[in-house]
Amino acid sequence: LEKRLEHPCVNVRYDIMHDRAALEEVYTYYLQQNYEGLMIRIPGSLYEDCRSSNLLKLKPSQRCKVLIYEMVEGSGKWLNAAGSFLVSLNGKQFYVGGGELTEQKRRELWGWKDSPFSPVGRVMTIEYKELSIKGIPLQPTIKHIEYGY
């Protein structure tokens, strides 16, 4: 079943950026051409057949505010800590993971679950790449939980 390509190696166009202004100019150009974004390789790095900090994806993101309906306890390492949050945006509910939160913050939030400091009922700012066809943010990450004081 192995499919063999006649020419498995393909040269891909690349540009060398010497400063942030040049990078932003090229990034804006490609977005205007309907590309998703840019791939940025650390100079001198080699190809790796895995996720790598040598190759970064630069895509536009958006922010919005959502209402927290529920805080779900984590599992494994995250027992007795906030794992994810059930939130709502435009009447659609979805979960936002706590991946951006420190271990200390996750445990602190979970400890507040039955107190006036609970995040449930509060507003959370999330960042996401795009909306799914169902209108749900893809790859949402927590940026801020509002406490109003």
Side-chain angles (χ1 to χ4, degrees):
L1 293 177
E2 184 177 320
K3 183 178 178 181
R4 299 207 179 256
L5 300 174
E6 189 174 320
H7 301 285
C9 293
V10 178
N11 287 323
V12 177
R13 179 179 171 222
Y14 67 91
D15 297 295
I16 298 174
M17 302 293 122
H18 296 285
D19 57 43
R20 186 176 184 94
L23 175 64
E24 289 176 5
E25 182 180 335
V26 170
Y27 178 61
T28 300
Y29 171 79
Y30 281 114
L31 290 179
Q32 289 170 347
Q33 301 302 311
N34 294 320
Y35 285 85
E36 283 185 33
L38 291 177
M39 298 300 291
I40 303 170
R41 181 172 297 286
I42 303 299
S45 65
L46 300 175
Y47 174 78
E48 296 176 71
D49 188 20
C50 62
R51 286 183 182 247
S52 168
S53 60
N54 289 324
L55 185 62
L56 309 172
K57 186 185 302 184
L58 179 61
K59 289 176 65 172
S61 62
Q62 301 175 54
R63 287 189 179 203
C64 69
K65 295 179 184 242
V66 296
L67 182 62
I68 302 172
Y69 281 94
E70 181 184 357
M71 178 170 53
V72 179
E73 182 177 15
S75 60
K77 173 183 176 180
W78 300 115
L79 274 177
N80 298 312
S84 62
F85 299 86
L86 178 63
V87 300
S88 176
L89 176 66
N90 300 326
K92 298 179 186 204
Q93 292 188 335
F94 58 96
Y95 288 93
V96 177
E100 296 286 313
L101 300 174
T102 64
E103 181 173 354
Q104 178 182 349
K105 189 64 175 177
R106 283 177 177 236
R107 296 203 186 282
E108 180 180 85
L109 288 169
W110 188 250
W112 292 346
K113 69 182 180 300
D114 298 319
S115 79
F117 300 109
S118 173
V120 175
R122 300 188 187 276
V123 173
M124 174 190 289
T125 301
I126 62 169
E127 186 172 273
Y128 62 96
K129 297 297 180 191
E130 59 189 327
L131 293 174
S132 72
I133 57 174
K134 295 182 178 181
I136 295 174
L138 297 175
Q139 301 173 323
T141 56
I142 299 168
K143 292 299 169 188
H144 179 71
I145 298 174
E146 295 180 11
Y147 278 89
Y149 45 78

Coordinates of all heavy atoms in Angstrom, one line a residue, residues 52-106:
S52 N 8.3 20.8 17.1 CA 9.6 21.4 17.4 C 9.5 22.9 17.7 O 8.8 23.6 17.0 CB 10.6 21.1 16.3 OG 11.8 21.8 16.5
S53 N 10.3 23.3 18.6 CA 10.3 24.8 18.8 C 11.2 25.5 17.8 O 11.3 26.7 17.8 CB 10.8 25.1 20.3 OG 12.1 24.5 20.4
N54 N 11.8 24.7 16.9 CA 12.6 25.3 15.8 C 11.7 25.7 14.6 O 12.2 26.4 13.7 CB 13.6 24.3 15.3 CG 14.7 24.0 16.3 OD1 15.1 24.9 16.9 ND2 15.2 22.8 16.3
L55 N 10.5 25.3 14.6 CA 9.5 25.7 13.6 C 8.3 26.2 14.2 O 7.6 25.5 14.9 CB 9.2 24.5 12.6 CG 8.4 24.8 11.4 CD1 9.1 25.7 10.5 CD2 8.1 23.5 10.7
L56 N 8.0 27.5 14.0 CA 6.9 28.1 14.7 C 5.8 28.5 13.6 O 6.1 28.9 12.5 CB 7.3 29.4 15.4 CG 8.5 29.2 16.4 CD1 9.0 30.6 16.9 CD2 8.1 28.3 17.5
K57 N 4.5 28.4 14.0 CA 3.4 28.7 13.2 C 2.9 30.1 13.6 O 2.6 30.3 14.8 CB 2.3 27.7 13.3 CG 1.2 27.9 12.3 CD 0.0 26.9 12.5 CE 0.5 25.5 12.4 NZ -0.6 24.5 12.6
L58 N 2.8 31.0 12.7 CA 2.3 32.4 13.0 C 1.0 32.5 12.2 O 1.0 32.6 11.0 CB 3.3 33.4 12.5 CG 2.9 34.9 12.7 CD1 2.7 35.2 14.2 CD2 3.9 35.8 12.1
K59 N -0.1 32.5 13.0 CA -1.4 32.6 12.4 C -2.2 33.7 13.2 O -1.9 33.9 14.4 CB -2.2 31.3 12.6 CG -1.8 30.2 11.7 CD -2.5 28.9 11.9 CE -4.0 29.0 11.6 NZ -4.7 27.7 11.7
P60 N -3.1 34.4 12.6 CA -3.8 35.4 13.3 C -4.7 34.8 14.3 O -5.2 33.7 14.2 CB -4.7 36.1 12.2 CG -4.7 35.2 11.1 CD -3.5 34.3 11.2
S61 N -5.0 35.5 15.4 CA -5.9 35.0 16.5 C -6.9 36.1 16.8 O -6.7 37.3 16.5 CB -5.1 34.6 17.7 OG -4.4 35.6 18.3
Q62 N -7.9 35.7 17.5 CA -9.0 36.6 17.9 C -9.2 36.4 19.4 O -8.9 35.4 19.9 CB -10.2 36.4 17.1 CG -10.1 36.5 15.6 CD -11.3 36.1 14.9 OE1 -12.4 36.7 15.1 NE2 -11.2 35.2 13.9
R63 N -9.8 37.4 20.0 CA -10.1 37.3 21.4 C -11.6 37.6 21.6 O -12.2 38.4 20.8 CB -9.3 38.3 22.3 CG -7.9 37.9 22.5 CD -7.2 38.8 23.5 NE -5.8 38.3 23.6 CZ -5.1 38.5 24.7 NH1 -5.5 39.2 25.7 NH2 -3.8 38.1 24.7
C64 N -12.2 37.0 22.6 CA -13.6 37.3 22.9 C -13.8 37.0 24.4 O -13.0 36.3 25.1 CB -14.6 36.5 22.1 SG -14.6 34.8 22.4
K65 N -14.9 37.4 24.9 CA -15.3 37.2 26.3 C -16.4 36.1 26.3 O -17.3 36.2 25.5 CB -15.8 38.4 27.0 CG -14.6 39.4 27.1 CD -15.1 40.7 27.8 CE -13.9 41.7 27.8 NZ -13.5 42.1 29.1
V66 N -16.3 35.2 27.3 CA -17.3 34.1 27.4 C -17.7 34.0 28.9 O -16.9 34.4 29.8 CB -16.7 32.7 26.9 CG1 -16.4 32.7 25.4 CG2 -15.4 32.3 27.7
L67 N -18.8 33.4 29.1 CA -19.3 33.2 30.5 C -19.0 31.8 30.9 O -19.2 30.9 30.2 CB -20.9 33.4 30.5 CG -21.5 33.3 31.9 CD1 -21.0 34.4 32.8 CD2 -23.0 33.4 31.7
I68 N -18.5 31.7 32.2 CA -18.1 30.4 32.7 C -19.3 29.8 33.4 O -19.9 30.4 34.3 CB -16.9 30.5 33.7 CG1 -15.7 31.2 33.1 CG2 -16.6 29.2 34.3 CD1 -14.6 31.5 34.1
Y69 N -19.7 28.6 33.0 CA -20.9 27.9 33.5 C -20.4 26.8 34.5 O -21.2 26.5 35.5 CB -21.7 27.2 32.4 CG -22.6 28.2 31.7 CD1 -22.2 28.8 30.5 CD2 -23.8 28.5 32.2 CE1 -23.0 29.7 29.9 CE2 -24.7 29.4 31.6 CZ -24.2 30.0 30.4 OH -25.1 30.8 29.8
E70 N -19.3 26.3 34.3 CA -18.8 25.1 35.2 C -17.3 25.0 35.1 O -16.7 25.3 34.1 CB -19.5 23.8 34.7 CG -19.1 22.6 35.5 CD -19.7 21.3 34.8 OE1 -20.4 21.4 33.8 OE2 -19.4 20.3 35.4
M71 N -16.8 24.6 36.3 CA -15.3 24.3 36.3 C -15.2 22.8 36.6 O -15.9 22.3 37.5 CB -14.7 25.1 37.5 CG -13.2 24.8 37.6 SD -12.4 26.0 38.8 CE -13.4 25.8 40.3
V72 N -14.5 22.1 35.7 CA -14.3 20.7 35.8 C -13.0 20.3 36.4 O -12.0 20.9 36.0 CB -14.5 20.1 34.4 CG1 -14.4 18.6 34.4 CG2 -15.8 20.5 33.8
E73 N -13.0 19.4 37.3 CA -11.8 19.0 38.0 C -10.9 18.2 36.9 O -11.4 17.4 36.1 CB -12.0 18.1 39.2 CG -10.8 17.6 39.9 CD -11.1 16.8 41.1 OE1 -12.2 16.3 41.3 OE2 -10.2 16.6 41.9
G74 N -9.6 18.4 37.0 CA -8.7 17.7 36.2 C -8.6 16.2 36.6 O -9.1 15.8 37.6
S75 N -7.8 15.5 35.9 CA -7.5 14.1 36.2 C -6.0 13.8 36.2 O -5.3 14.6 35.8 CB -8.2 13.1 35.2 OG -7.7 13.4 33.9
G76 N -5.6 12.7 36.8 CA -4.2 12.3 36.9 C -3.5 13.4 37.7 O -3.8 13.7 38.8
K77 N -2.5 14.0 37.0 CA -1.6 15.0 37.7 C -2.5 16.2 38.2 O -2.2 16.9 39.1 CB -0.6 15.5 36.7 CG 0.2 16.7 37.1 CD 1.2 17.2 36.1 CE 1.9 18.4 36.5 NZ 2.8 18.9 35.5
W78 N -3.6 16.4 37.5 CA -4.5 17.6 37.8 C -5.6 17.3 38.7 O -6.6 18.1 38.8 CB -4.9 18.2 36.5 CG -3.8 18.6 35.6 CD1 -3.4 18.1 34.4 CD2 -2.8 19.6 36.0 NE1 -2.3 18.8 34.0 CE2 -1.9 19.7 34.9 CE3 -2.6 20.5 37.0 CZ2 -0.8 20.5 34.9 CZ3 -1.5 21.3 37.0 CH2 -0.6 21.4 36.0
L79 N -5.6 16.1 39.4 CA -6.6 15.9 40.5 C -6.5 17.1 41.5 O -5.4 17.5 41.8 CB -6.4 14.6 41.2 CG -7.1 13.4 40.5 CD1 -6.7 12.1 41.3 CD2 -8.6 13.5 40.4
N80 N -7.7 17.5 42.1 CA -7.7 18.6 43.0 C -7.2 19.9 42.4 O -6.6 20.7 43.0 CB -6.9 18.3 44.3 CG -7.5 17.1 45.0 OD1 -8.7 17.1 45.2 ND2 -6.7 16.2 45.4
A81 N -7.4 20.0 41.1 CA -7.0 21.3 40.3 C -8.0 21.5 39.2 O -8.7 20.5 38.8 CB -5.6 21.1 39.8
A82 N -8.2 22.7 38.8 CA -9.1 23.0 37.6 C -8.5 22.3 36.4 O -7.3 22.5 36.1 CB -9.2 24.5 37.4
G83 N -9.4 21.6 35.7 CA -9.0 20.9 34.5 C -9.4 21.7 33.2 O -8.7 22.0 32.4
S84 N -10.7 22.0 33.2 CA -11.3 22.7 32.1 C -12.5 23.5 32.6 O -13.0 23.4 33.7 CB -11.7 21.8 30.9 OG -12.7 20.9 31.3
F85 N -13.0 24.4 31.7 CA -14.1 25.2 32.0 C -15.2 25.1 30.9 O -14.9 25.2 29.7 CB -13.7 26.7 32.1 CG -12.7 26.9 33.2 CD1 -11.3 26.7 32.9 CD2 -13.0 27.3 34.4 CE1 -10.3 26.9 33.9 CE2 -12.0 27.5 35.4 CZ -10.7 27.3 35.1
L86 N -16.4 24.9 31.3 CA -17.6 24.9 30.4 C -18.0 26.4 30.3 O -18.3 27.0 31.3 CB -18.7 24.1 30.9 CG -20.0 24.0 30.0 CD1 -19.7 23.4 28.7 CD2 -21.1 23.3 30.7
V87 N -18.0 26.9 29.0 CA -18.2 28.3 28.8 C -19.3 28.4 27.7 O -19.6 27.4 27.0 CB -17.0 29.1 28.4 CG1 -15.9 29.0 29.5 CG2 -16.4 28.6 27.1
S88 N -19.8 29.6 27.5 CA -20.8 29.8 26.5 C -20.5 31.1 25.7 O -20.0 32.1 26.2 CB -22.2 30.0 27.1 OG -23.1 30.3 26.2
L89 N -20.7 31.0 24.4 CA -20.5 32.1 23.4 C -21.6 32.1 22.4 O -21.8 31.0 21.8 CB -19.1 32.0 22.7 CG -18.9 33.1 21.7 CD1 -18.7 34.5 22.3 CD2 -17.6 32.8 20.9
N90 N -22.4 33.1 22.3 CA -23.5 33.2 21.4 C -24.5 32.0 21.5 O -24.9 31.4 20.5 CB -23.0 33.3 20.0 CG -22.2 34.6 19.7 OD1 -22.5 35.6 20.4 ND2 -21.2 34.5 18.9
G91 N -24.7 31.6 22.8 CA -25.6 30.5 23.0 C -25.1 29.1 22.8 O -25.7 28.1 22.9
K92 N -23.8 29.0 22.4 CA -23.1 27.7 22.2 C -22.2 27.4 23.3 O -21.3 28.2 23.6 CB -22.4 27.7 20.8 CG -23.4 27.9 19.7 CD -22.8 27.9 18.4 CE -23.9 28.3 17.4 NZ -23.9 28.0 16.2
Q93 N -22.3 26.2 23.9 CA -21.4 25.8 25.0 C -20.2 25.0 24.5 O -20.4 24.2 23.6 CB -22.2 25.1 26.1 CG -23.2 26.0 26.8 CD -23.8 25.3 28.0 OE1 -23.9 24.1 28.1 NE2 -24.2 26.1 29.0
F94 N -19.1 25.2 25.1 CA -17.9 24.4 24.8 C -16.9 24.5 25.9 O -17.1 25.3 26.9 CB -17.2 24.9 23.5 CG -16.8 26.3 23.5 CD1 -15.5 26.7 23.8 CD2 -17.8 27.3 23.2 CE1 -15.2 28.1 23.9 CE2 -17.4 28.7 23.3 CZ -16.1 29.0 23.6
Y95 N -15.9 23.6 25.9 CA -14.9 23.6 27.0 C -13.6 24.3 26.6 O -13.2 24.2 25.4 CB -14.6 22.1 27.4 CG -15.7 21.4 28.1 CD1 -16.7 20.7 27.4 CD2 -15.8 21.6 29.5 CE1 -17.7 20.1 28.1 CE2 -16.9 21.0 30.2 CZ -17.8 20.2 29.5 OH -18.8 19.6 30.2
V96 N -13.1 25.0 27.6 CA -11.8 25.6 27.4 C -10.8 24.9 28.4 O -11.1 24.9 29.6 CB -11.8 27.1 27.7 CG1 -10.4 27.7 27.5 CG2 -12.8 27.8 26.7
G97 N -9.7 24.3 27.9 CA -8.8 23.7 28.8 C -8.0 24.7 29.6 O -7.8 25.8 29.2
G98 N -7.4 24.2 30.7 CA -6.6 25.1 31.5 C -5.1 25.1 31.2 O -4.3 25.5 32.0
G99 N -4.8 24.6 30.0 CA -3.4 24.5 29.6 C -2.5 25.7 29.8 O -1.3 25.5 30.0
E100 N -3.0 26.9 29.7 CA -2.2 28.1 29.8 C -2.0 28.5 31.3 O -1.2 29.4 31.6 CB -2.9 29.3 29.1 CG -3.0 29.1 27.6 CD -1.6 29.2 26.9 OE1 -0.9 30.2 27.2 OE2 -1.3 28.4 26.1
L101 N -2.7 27.8 32.2 CA -2.7 28.2 33.6 C -1.5 27.4 34.3 O -1.3 26.3 34.0 CB -4.0 27.8 34.3 CG -5.2 28.5 33.8 CD1 -6.5 27.9 34.5 CD2 -5.2 30.0 34.0
T102 N -0.9 28.1 35.3 CA 0.2 27.4 36.0 C -0.5 26.4 37.0 O -1.7 26.5 37.3 CB 1.0 28.4 36.9 OG1 0.1 29.0 37.8 CG2 1.6 29.5 36.0
E103 N 0.3 25.5 37.4 CA -0.2 24.5 38.4 C -0.7 25.2 39.6 O -1.8 24.8 40.1 CB 0.9 23.5 38.8 CG 0.4 22.4 39.7 CD 1.4 21.3 40.0 OE1 2.5 21.3 39.4 OE2 1.2 20.5 40.9
Q104 N 0.0 26.2 40.1 CA -0.5 26.9 41.3 C -1.8 27.5 41.1 O -2.7 27.5 41.9 CB 0.6 28.0 41.7 CG 0.1 28.8 42.8 CD 1.1 29.9 43.2 OE1 2.2 30.0 42.6 NE2 0.7 30.8 44.0
K105 N -2.0 28.2 39.9 CA -3.3 28.8 39.6 C -4.4 27.8 39.5 O -5.5 28.0 39.9 CB -3.2 29.7 38.3 CG -4.4 30.5 38.1 CD -4.5 31.6 39.2 CE -5.6 32.6 38.9 NZ -5.7 33.5 40.0
R106 N -4.2 26.7 38.8 CA -5.2 25.6 38.7 C -5.7 25.1 40.1 O -6.8 25.0 40.3 CB -4.6 24.4 37.9 CG -4.5 24.6 36.4 CD -3.9 23.4 35.8 NE -3.8 23.4 34.4 CZ -4.3 22.5 33.6 NH1 -4.9 21.4 34.1 NH2 -4.1 22.6 32.3

